Amino acid sequence: MWKLVKCAVQGRGHVKAGTPCQDKVCTYTGNGVSVIALADGAGSARLSHFGAQRVTQFVCEEFSDHFDDWFQEPDGVLVKKQLVQKILEQLTDLRQELNCELRDLASTLLVVAAKEDCFLLIHIGDGVIGYWRDGELKVASHPENGEFANITFFTTSSNAISTMKIAKGNLGNIAGFVLMSDGTAESFYSHQTSSLAGVLAKIMKMTLIFPQEKIEKDLLESFEQVVIQRTHDDCSLALMVRPTDSFTGFEDLSQEEKCDVLEINMLTPDIKKKLARYTKIMRMINRRPSCTLVSLSREIHLKPKYTRKYLMNVLRCGLIQSCKNGHYKSSVK
Amino acid sequence: MNNQLVELKDLKNNPTHRVPVCLCLDTSGSMGAVTGNFTYTGKTSFLDGKKWDLVDGGTSRIFELQQGVSLFFEAIKEDGTAKYAAEISIVTFDDTAKCLMDFTSLEDQRVPELTLGDNTSMGEGVNLALDLLEKRKQMYHQMGITYYQPWLVLMTDGEPNGNPAELDRAISRTVDLVKKEKLSVFPIGIGEEADMAMLNRFSPARRALKVKELKFREFFDWLSGSLIKASQSGPGEKVKLDVDSIQGWGEL
């Protein structure tokens, strides 16, 4: 039910210095659990990209395999201690493989896992965790820095347990979660108002409308061309989103958003009527296993030769796929 | 989609992380000492606790210091990140301590003229510099602006001869902040007469550096390069200052 997407881009400073992208993201679905994880390797730690990679993979597997155990444990301090211990065990193994010090593998960590109506949230260090509920974006966990901008806490820090933030609860109307590294937060989080950029809601909506591959490709393009220009640091993001009563898909977009998705001008004559036809087409395709030109033509009360133009446009935009025998189906199902 | 998924207009505008820097500069009478081609006038003067021969010509320490500070400003302004990140104030100390230039955007700043006084009220100067840095940090907090560890650059060519209690308080405050990793201090001795032992008392983490006369340009070049690196550092990224190289040319 959840759709998961991720993106990580090497920062300008790291390109210049020849250091690898130290931001790592991982998404995982298994055992009825969906998990997104992000780790930002410490700039001062020479192999932190390996540490970040290992930690994100580990937490995805751990929460997928043992979600109920973690969720049902009432003692939050015990959860923090056990999780840090397991992370350090993973990093100790990796340290031996790489013949390095534990501190060389330091990274932040941001995780959200969801199963049925329950969620878990873990945060060590900086970066931001946000959520989307009833059409509103809110911050679930703010960046944890010391007094100065270049000070934060890592998985290997002696105070990892005391600075770790954890949360759990029922999802209710929560439709999405987003994790971002501090590099991305420079663009999507206001340090002055502690609020998130509205474009994250757009990304969540688009994730529900388009196939994962297209969203990840578009995200990567946006990050490479826009987001990394705001910082020297690596930029990464992982999000998970699901349809809810307040947003099910294309038909719940605003007129402006529909025009944006369909690549048509808002000032086109009879735009309202045209958008209503597009909406009917998308609703029918989303609700039925497959549709034909003729069935869609009947639905929108338009001759097939005109209906074909509408179909070709939604096909071109990637909202639907053509199947055998002249049938069409949604791209996201 | 018509446009990119994320466009520039969609992004939050966060202020650049700031690096507050206070240059705490000795403008006592001894900073008028000259090198180069000069001729003695046969006259003498008593300044900064010493008798001085008056000369015509030559290049004074304060003139070179003024040039060095100007080059420092120019180098910072030329860097795309540092020009928005670095915020610089200048405190001078001679008979008294003065804030010659308060923190503001670098674009609006012009290097003020350094003028000579008499004595060396170093303690008073450092205390004023620390007060200004603290005030600036409070402003950042109130405005929601993130910042890096502040820098204090202390430059003198002689021995302090201001209020001893103020000097002790300045040393104690500086050492306490450095030990708590809340301040980077750069004590710089100018010329052979600088009291290096005294400067070292300000710096528990690294030894004070000696810069010979007419080497200010190299020092400020190094300082601006270090500041540019610091302004681009990320979390967990401690900027390694190439102190060895500066020590090398400082001893030339």
Side-chain angles (χ1 to χ4, degrees):
Chain A
M1 185 161 43
W2 290 91
K3 285 191 72 183
L4 286 60
V5 295
K6 60 184 189 294
C7 167
V9 176
Q10 188 183 19
R12 291 182 297 144
H14 289 194
V15 171
K16 199 173 171 184
T19 47
C21 179
Q22 293 163 330
D23 278 13
K24 298 295 170 189
V25 279
C26 189
T27 58
Y28 191 84
T29 305
N31 303 324
V33 183
S34 295
V35 195
I36 50 175
L38 182 153
D40 178 356
S44 57
R46 66 188 176 94
L47 299 172
S48 65
H49 50 296
F50 289 115
Q53 183 82 43
R54 174 65 66 95
V55 167
T56 52
Q57 282 173 350
F58 164 71
V59 291
C60 280
E61 288 166 17
E62 178 64 27
F63 286 121
S64 166
D65 292 345
H66 306 290
F67 182 92
D68 294 338
D69 296 339
W70 290 105
F71 188 83
Q72 284 163 10
E73 173 54 57
D75 185 347
V77 176
L78 190 64
V79 167
K80 291 181 185 184
K81 282 181 180 171
Q82 289 182 344
L83 188 61
V84 168
Q85 188 185 338
K86 281 176 177 281
I87 288 169
L88 290 178
E89 283 169 10
Q90 290 290 319
L91 294 178
T92 302
D93 289 346
L94 186 60
R95 185 191 74 172
Q96 284 161 359
E97 287 171 35
L98 298 173
N99 192 23
C100 64
E101 298 295 321
L102 204 59
R103 64 173 178 271
D104 292 332
L105 305 170
S107 74
T108 65
L109 180 63
L110 302 89
V111 192
V112 171
K115 181 182 180 185
E116 295 162 2
D117 194 38
C118 304
F119 76 91
L120 274 172
L121 178 156
I122 310 288
H123 189 180
I124 301 174
D126 59 14
V128 180
I129 302 180
Y131 65 100
W132 190 40
R133 182 169 61 192
D134 298 328
E136 276 189 70
L137 280 166
K138 291 185 177 168
V139 177
S141 183
H142 296 272
E144 195 68 40
N145 288 98
E147 181 183 356
F148 306 120
N150 56 343
I151 303 292
T152 192
F153 308 101
F154 300 114
T155 49
T156 56
S157 300
S158 57
N159 52 7
I161 293 170
S162 62
T163 56
M164 177 195 284
K165 290 177 280 187
I166 59 170
K168 65 175 180 177
N170 290 328
L171 287 163
N173 289 342
I174 294 177
F177 289 99
V178 59
L179 315 177
M180 65 187 90
S181 64
D182 64 323
T184 303
E186 285 302 308
S187 292
F188 293 155
Y189 173 80
S190 166
H191 291 285
Q192 291 176 302
T193 60
S194 302
S195 60
L196 296 171
V199 72
L200 289 166
K202 177 184 168 187
I203 297 171
M204 294 214 187
K205 288 177 186 175
M206 297 306 149
T207 302
L208 286 173
I209 290 168
F210 288 106
Q212 178 201 349
E213 302 76 37
K214 175 175 167 51
I215 287 298
E216 290 194 336
K217 181 175 161 286
D218 289 349
L219 258 184
L220 189 67
E221 190 180 305
S222 290
F223 268 59
E224 285 176 343
Q225 293 181 17
V226 182
V227 177
I228 62 164
Q229 303 306 327
R230 284 288 181 93
T231 175
H232 292 270
D233 205 358
D234 297 332
C235 294
S236 60
L237 177 142
L239 68 81
M240 54 197 283
V241 61
R242 61 175 184 164
T244 59
D245 291 342
S246 61
F247 189 83
T248 55
F250 181 86
E251 59 196 272
D252 293 320
L253 291 175
S254 67
Q255 293 206 344
E256 195 178 345
E257 286 170 331
K258 284 177 184 171
C259 286
D260 196 22
V261 165
L262 294 164
E263 299 179 19
I264 53 177
N265 194 325
M266 271 289 280
L267 302 174
T268 307
D270 295 327
I271 187 69
K272 282 188 180 175
K273 195 194 284 182
K274 286 173 181 168
L275 287 178
R277 284 175 182 147
Y278 278 117
T279 304
K280 278 185 179 176
I281 289 172
M282 288 306 300
R283 186 184 297 141
M284 197 166 163
I285 290 178
N286 281 333
R287 290 178 185 174
R288 294 182 190 175
S290 67
C291 303
T292 62
L293 174 63
V294 175
S295 65
L296 289 165
S297 174
R298 273 195 221 110
E299 178 71 18
I300 63 171
H301 308 295
L302 200 65
K303 287 180 180 175
K305 69 174 181 179
Y306 299 117
T307 304
R308 183 186 298 278
K309 285 185 181 174
Y310 284 85
L311 261 180
M312 288 302 108
N313 200 32
V314 287
L315 194 62
R316 183 181 58 80
C317 295
L319 289 164
I320 63 169
Q321 294 174 337
S322 62
C323 312
K324 290 175 185 172
N325 306 324
H327 283 73
Y328 298 93
K329 68 171 187 177
S330 168
S331 291
V332 292
K333 282 184 179 171
Chain B
M1 272 164 278
N2 231 349
N3 303 303
Q4 286 196 98
L5 189 58
V6 180
E7 295 176 67
L8 206 57
K9 65 177 173 58
D10 298 323
L11 308 186
K12 291 280 188 185
N13 283 314
N14 280 306
T16 309
H17 305 311
R18 302 293 210 279
V19 194
V21 181
C22 186
L23 304 179
C24 186
L25 308 176
D26 184 350
T27 49
S28 63
S30 58
M31 288 293 286
V34 298
T35 52
N37 295 322
F38 57 82
T39 52
Y40 289 99
T41 61
K43 294 176 187 169
T44 59
S45 173
F46 194 82
L47 273 174
D48 202 9
K50 284 181 187 172
K51 186 180 162 192
W52 300 86
D53 294 318
L54 299 182
V55 299
D56 283 331
T59 307
S60 68
R61 290 172 183 166
I62 200 151
F63 175 80
E64 282 298 318
L65 182 60
Q66 176 91 46
Q67 300 294 310
V69 173
S70 297
L71 286 172
F72 176 62
F73 273 60
E74 289 310 311
I76 298 297
K77 281 181 185 175
E78 281 173 18
D79 184 81
T81 301
K83 72 176 172 186
Y84 299 114
E87 293 198 319
I88 300 166
S89 68
I90 296 179
V91 164
T92 58
F93 56 91
D94 40 66
D95 294 324
T96 57
K98 291 187 284 288
C99 173
L100 206 58
M101 189 180 80
D102 205 350
F103 293 104
T104 182
S105 162
L106 204 63
E107 282 177 315
D108 301 332
Q109 286 179 329
R110 296 286 174 272
V111 181
E113 188 181 348
L114 303 175
T115 52
L116 288 174
D118 187 351
N119 291 302
T120 309
S121 304
M122 190 192 296
E124 289 84 343
V126 171
N127 279 320
L128 178 57
L130 294 177
D131 291 344
L132 289 174
L133 287 168
E134 192 55 41
K135 202 172 133 196
R136 197 63 181 171
K137 288 201 304 182
Q138 283 171 11
M139 191 280 282
Y140 294 149
H141 276 298
Q142 286 164 4
M143 304 290 287
I145 297 171
T146 49
Y147 57 94
Y148 295 107
Q149 197 180 55
W151 288 20
L152 170 64
V153 181
L154 171 60
M155 301 186 78
T156 182
D157 68 340
E159 298 169 12
N161 57 9
N163 183 331
E166 279 293 288
L167 182 65
D168 287 343
R169 191 167 75 91
I171 292 170
S172 165
R173 287 176 74 188
T174 308
V175 168
D176 187 48
L177 288 167
V178 172
K179 282 185 175 170
K180 288 179 180 166
E181 298 191 337
K182 288 182 179 293
L183 178 75
S184 283
V185 64
F186 300 88
I188 309 296
I190 301 165
E192 291 304 318
E193 291 148 15
D195 186 347
M196 298 307 288
M198 175 57 69
L199 284 174
N200 277 326
R201 290 180 62 194
F202 282 92
S203 186
R206 65 171 77 92
R207 287 175 60 79
L209 301 171
K210 187 183 280 187
V211 181
K212 285 207 168 187
E213 283 140 89
L214 308 182
K215 290 287 181 187
F216 294 112
R217 286 165 192 251
E218 287 90 334
F219 168 70
F220 280 107
D221 188 41
W222 172 86
L223 192 69
S224 58
S226 301
L227 188 57
I228 288 165
K229 274 189 202 167
S231 69
Q232 295 175 357
S233 63
E237 205 171 340
K238 282 195 173 175
V239 178
K240 284 187 182 171
L241 298 174
D242 185 12
V243 180
D244 288 343
S245 69
I246 187 177
Q247 194 117 31
W249 58 253
E251 293 295 338
L252 285 173

